[in-house]
Amino acid sequence: MTDGAQTATRPGRTTPEVATHCPYCALQCGMTLREEGGRVSVHPRQFPTNRGGLCQKGWTAAELLDHPERLTTPLLRDPASGELRPASWDAALERIVTGIRTVQAGHGRDAVAVFGGGGLTNEKAYALGKFARVALRTRHIDYNGRFCMSSAAAAGMRAFGVDRGLPFPLADLGQADTLLLVGANPAETMPPLVRWLTEQRQRGGRLIVVDPRVTATARQADLHLQPLPGTDLAVANALLHIALTEGWVDKEYVDARTTGFEAVRRSVAGWWPARAEALSGVPVADLEATARALGTAGRAVILTARGAEQHAKGVDTVTGFVNLALALGLPGRPGSGYGCLTGQGNGQGGREHGQKADQLPGYRKIDDPAAREHVAGVWGVPADELPGPGVPAYQLLDSLGTPDGPKALLVFGSNPVVSAPRAARIEGRLRDLDLLVVADFLLSETAALADVVLPTAQWAEEDGTMTNLEGRVLRRRALRQPPPGVRTDLAILADLAARLRASGPDTPPAPGEADPTDRFPTDPEVVFTELRRASAGGLADYAGVSWERIDAADGVFWPCPTEDGPDTPRLFADRFATPDGRARFHPVEHRPAAEEVCAEYPLHFTTGRVLAQYQSGTQTRRVAALRRAAPEAFVELHPDLAGRLGVGDGEPVRVVSRRGELRAPARLSPAIRPDTVFAPFHWGGAARANSVTNDAVDPISGMPEFKICAVRVERVEEP
Ligand code: SF4
């Protein structure tokens, strides 16, 4: 069954059934949902990204639809008891509107902020951006995708003029003679993708993995480079240095399709392999073997993911690998290129349509006068009424409740209490707010702090579109209605917008506009039609992407400017999205981590995911099978380190940084370097990995340095 199989029921079948996609990661595996006797079951289906495969998270995704902890009524914090209590929608929305009006009257429009999520559909991400700029007229909106993709996005923008995670279909991975994965662990984060790696190696291709840990993916590799965390950029520069020395640089391509190579050539001249080995610990022989495998391959692909990107130099690190790809002439060549493995379900679409502080729909820049005119025209407001750019996610969260920061925050589809770096500090900021509103379908750690909690629909209860890691726009289809008492995000935004307009002087109805909710439609297809107009002519142009067109095929790749014209599975065949059509080299230099080890904090700390959990764990920690598979956090230690600390496998340890600590059982493994410890970030409370992480951010992308900080590990003496 392809994406075109949109029917709710098949002929002859009375059981409701719908072809849709997994609610979790950016692979967006195709699945069929079937409801029988009130029970919803998941069935994998053939789709180009998963070819009939699902991971355990996908198989169990329907369990949350009828979960006993599902929120089905708004909650209001009772000022007397301090408890969250059930309330009517009218009371909850009025509390929000009154709170917003009070805060904005006292502190200005920017005193209200919005925080979105990379799991929201394109329609919701678009509506949320519009709601912030038109209904609230605040510049403060950003989203948790800033913690996921932003460094690769910024590097792609400055090199190629556009940011699309994979500029080619996933199937191209299977065709690569050499595939270099940097800081990516798809065997645990998106297992169905591994079949492309298997296919690649069965064809005789070489898989090379760069990762400080011997991950499940690294174990499958022909060659595993295990650098010290935070030294990937030195590795990238050394690889280019070797390629230059050995004459593997594609001079014809560099001359014809790029600019700025000379400065990069000079900058990597000093990155002789022995210097990179001294810094990263990767042997010269492995660097040379990697450079040779890339430089002599007919087709080669370089992919980065969070391991390389979640650093205060994440943009430069990605740029180092982009420089390497460009020098080897890979981008735009069939079966070759550079790409980034997006993490969140709609991490790609979520950053294209206005959730980011500096962007308008279609990947337009909010400070570009022409972009403002275009989008304001679609929204029916004067361009000069649109606010300017806000600030990136961490900066926004860290300013909440401070004298100059927002005093109210509306959160949709995000759980920053668990997912933000230096999380205890952010938790404190949230507590300092005059008004915290959280829309979610479960009581996340962030929702538990809120003044108002709004119960929202789940993925199988509403229609919409998602854009997967390939830039392929997909249809999410509703199997059933939300339960009584639950509303969709679009309905919540429309109702809030109407109440705000009715209660305030800022946005009077336009002449002839009878219904003030007209500006915020609740039908997702109507929203998508508006999104198409807003994105028309932008980098991420969806103008030619209709729901019918998606239904008729296995999705549609953007840019797709006309309904009767082609979409774009592969970018950069003839030109890059820069004004002169050439890709840009940028010289980038290694620099130390924002926080280096010292006598008091002598170990490197890094974070990541495990197979059976997803993001902040709000959903997956509540799924019985996933909880059984991954019941609790852990701290991965090399046995040599554990021996020095006197810690046995399973014994509780404390990981302490300058910002806080986490407690979890030790898991001894030779898969990690003896100078580094690892913890997954899916848990809150005492086991919250982000209590420890560093809030230093990349100066270009705003990406926090999740992947390295300095810690000490202590044995916990328990009674
Ligand atoms: Fe869902 Fe990702 Fe697992 Fe596929 S790999 S089933 S999209 S979580």
Side-chain angles (χ1 to χ4, degrees):
M1 192 183 290
T2 71
D3 217 43
Q6 56 181 310
T7 50
T9 56
R10 283 183 187 157
R13 179 187 285 281
T14 54
T15 307
E17 177 180 301
V18 73
T20 188
H21 295 268
C22 175
Y24 296 118
C25 85
L27 200 57
Q28 286 294 290
C29 295
M31 60 169 55
T32 300
L33 295 181
R34 196 172 293 153
E35 184 163 15
E36 231 158 343
R39 199 180 151 271
V40 179
S41 55
V42 170
H43 305 266
R45 68 185 173 94
Q46 288 296 330
F47 189 73
T49 57
N50 63 313
R51 296 199 298 193
L54 291 177
C55 79
Q56 199 179 8
K57 298 186 286 288
W59 277 109
T60 56
E63 193 175 311
L64 293 173
L65 289 169
D66 299 308
H67 197 279
E69 291 178 52
R70 177 90 193 260
L71 298 173
T72 54
T73 181
L75 302 173
L76 274 181
R77 192 164 300 281
D78 177 41
S81 67
E83 303 281 315
L84 282 170
R85 301 228 186 272
S88 69
W89 274 97
D90 197 46
L93 295 174
E94 276 309 307
R95 171 89 170 261
I96 296 169
V97 169
T98 304
I100 289 171
R101 285 289 172 218
T102 304
V103 163
Q104 289 192 322
H107 306 279
R109 293 188 182 112
D110 291 342
V112 177
V114 176
F115 199 76
L120 301 179
T121 60
N122 289 321
E123 292 78 4
K124 293 196 240 181
Y126 170 83
L128 197 60
K130 178 180 170 183
F131 177 81
R133 276 86 181 218
V134 173
L136 297 175
R137 296 182 64 186
T138 176
R139 71 187 179 101
H140 284 310
I141 176 169
D142 213 66
Y143 80 129
N144 63 19
R146 184 74 71 170
F147 300 157
C148 179
M149 283 293 308
S150 57
S151 287
M157 275 290 183
R158 74 175 177 176
F160 307 128
V162 68
D163 151 40
R164 200 179 90 184
L166 293 182
F168 43 75
L170 197 63
D172 282 16
L173 300 187
Q175 306 302 310
D177 299 313
T178 297
L179 176 54
L180 179 68
L181 293 181
V182 189
N185 183 15
E188 291 208 62
T189 55
M190 37 182 74
L193 186 148
V194 172
R195 62 188 54 207
W196 302 108
L197 309 186
T198 305
E199 179 181 311
Q200 186 249 352
R201 289 171 63 239
Q202 284 171 345
R203 284 187 54 261
R206 280 173 68 78
L207 173 65
I208 304 174
V209 170
V210 182
D211 200 302
R213 300 167 64 222
V214 188
T215 60
T217 310
R219 276 195 284 276
Q220 299 181 28
D222 298 289
L223 180 60
H224 174 209
L225 314 186
Q226 199 173 3
L228 186 70
T231 61
D232 292 333
L233 176 49
V235 170
N237 281 347
L239 293 175
L240 182 48
H241 175 104
I242 298 167
L244 273 159
T245 307
E246 297 295 330
W248 292 321
V249 168
D250 186 337
K251 190 164 179 321
E252 202 178 315
Y253 177 100
V254 168
D255 288 346
R257 303 210 52 191
T258 72
T259 62
F261 180 64
E262 191 50 32
V264 169
R265 192 187 63 72
R266 282 196 301 273
S267 77
V268 301
W271 279 102
W272 54 92
R275 181 181 170 202
E277 176 181 332
L279 196 77
S280 69
V282 178
V284 167
D286 288 351
L287 292 169
E288 290 175 343
T290 303
R292 183 179 305 109
L294 289 167
T296 61
R299 286 172 293 207
V301 171
I302 300 173
L303 299 180
T304 63
R306 305 304 84 72
E309 298 160 12
Q310 289 179 323
H311 293 270
K313 57 176 178 297
V315 177
D316 283 354
T317 299
V318 174
T319 299
F321 287 99
V322 169
N323 285 343
L324 178 64
L326 287 171
L328 298 175
L330 305 181
R333 186 173 281 177
S336 293
Y338 161 80
C340 149
L341 289 176
T342 300
Q344 293 193 86
N346 200 30
Q348 180 71 54
R351 66 184 188 268
E352 295 165 0
H353 298 298
Q355 280 191 98
K356 256 176 139 173
D358 57 348
Q359 285 182 0
L360 291 171
Y363 238 134
R364 287 184 157 90
K365 299 291 287 181
I366 201 166
D367 54 4
D368 172 359
R372 294 170 64 87
E373 279 295 338
H374 173 83
V375 174
V378 174
W379 288 350
V381 297
D384 59 8
E385 280 191 6
L386 293 181
V391 296
Y394 185 76
Q395 197 178 334
L396 172 61
L397 293 173
D398 194 29
S399 70
L400 297 174
T402 61
D404 297 327
K407 309 290 183 289
L409 179 72
L410 280 61
V411 180
F412 284 77
S414 189
N415 186 16
V417 167
V418 174
S419 63
R422 202 174 188 178
R425 179 180 171 113
I426 296 307
E427 187 176 333
R429 298 282 191 239
L430 292 168
R431 290 181 191 276
D432 287 344
L433 287 167
D434 294 352
L435 175 70
L436 174 61
V437 179
V438 176
D440 210 326
F441 59 88
L442 292 162
L443 196 70
S444 69
E445 286 81 355
T446 305
L449 299 182
D451 301 293
V452 187
V453 181
L454 303 175
T456 60
Q458 288 195 51
W459 106 110
E461 298 161 352
E462 54 187 346
D463 287 301
T465 62
M466 305 281 277
T467 304
N468 79 349
L469 77 176
E470 309 165 284
R472 188 195 302 251
V473 190
L474 311 166
R475 282 274 283 113
R476 172 179 280 188
R477 300 185 180 90
L479 176 76
R480 45 151 80 165
Q481 294 293 311
V486 169
R487 295 189 184 178
T488 67
D489 290 321
L490 293 179
I492 292 169
L493 293 174
D495 200 336
L496 281 175
R499 289 169 190 254
L500 284 165
R501 290 185 86 189
S503 70
D506 293 337
T507 51
E513 191 178 33
D515 179 357
T517 64
D518 279 354
R519 281 188 184 168
F520 287 90
T522 57
D523 180 336
E525 189 165 10
V526 173
V527 176
F528 189 74
T529 303
E530 185 184 307
L531 177 160
R532 291 168 59 191
R533 285 196 292 126
S535 76
L539 281 172
D541 191 333
Y542 282 45
V545 187
S546 65
W547 280 21
E548 295 75 26
R549 188 168 175 176
I550 302 171
D551 290 343
D554 287 328
V556 179
F557 291 85
W558 69 261
C560 181
T562 58
E563 280 204 55
D564 50 3
D567 64 344
T568 317
R570 288 183 181 76
L571 294 169
F572 315 143
D574 305 314
R575 57 178 284 121
F576 293 95
T578 53
D580 62 4
R582 289 167 174 258
R584 305 275 190 266
F585 279 99
H586 292 269
V588 283
E589 273 301 324
H590 168 81
R591 53 187 186 271
E595 183 180 68
E596 294 195 87
V597 294
C598 61
E600 195 178 352
Y601 302 99
L603 296 165
H604 304 285
F605 178 65
T606 191
T607 65
R609 289 173 50 184
V610 297
L611 177 64
Q613 298 289 345
Y614 181 71
Q615 303 301 70
S616 74
T618 304
Q619 298 170 63
T620 50
R621 279 186 272 129
R622 289 175 166 89
V623 175
L626 301 179
R627 210 168 45 242
R628 279 195 298 277
E632 61 180 356
F634 58 89
V635 177
E636 188 174 278
L637 303 172
H638 193 280
D640 292 351
L641 173 62
R644 287 204 303 279
L645 297 169
V647 172
D649 194 43
E651 290 182 354
V653 293
R654 182 189 293 122
V655 179
V656 186
S657 76
R658 289 182 176 85
R659 293 154 296 281
E661 66 174 56
L662 82 93
R663 288 178 184 222
R667 183 177 291 181
L668 272 49
S669 169
I672 191 157
R673 297 171 55 108
D675 56 8
T676 302
V677 295
F678 166 88
F681 57 69
H682 310 291
W683 283 270
R688 182 171 61 186
N690 278 317
S691 295
V692 173
T693 50
N694 195 351
D695 57 352
V697 297
D698 186 288
I700 300 171
S701 66
M703 169 70 84
E705 188 144 87
F706 290 105
K707 284 292 187 277
I708 185 168
C709 68
V711 299
R712 66 172 181 268
V713 177
E714 299 169 351
R715 192 159 176 260
V716 176
E717 302 295 344
E718 283 198 328

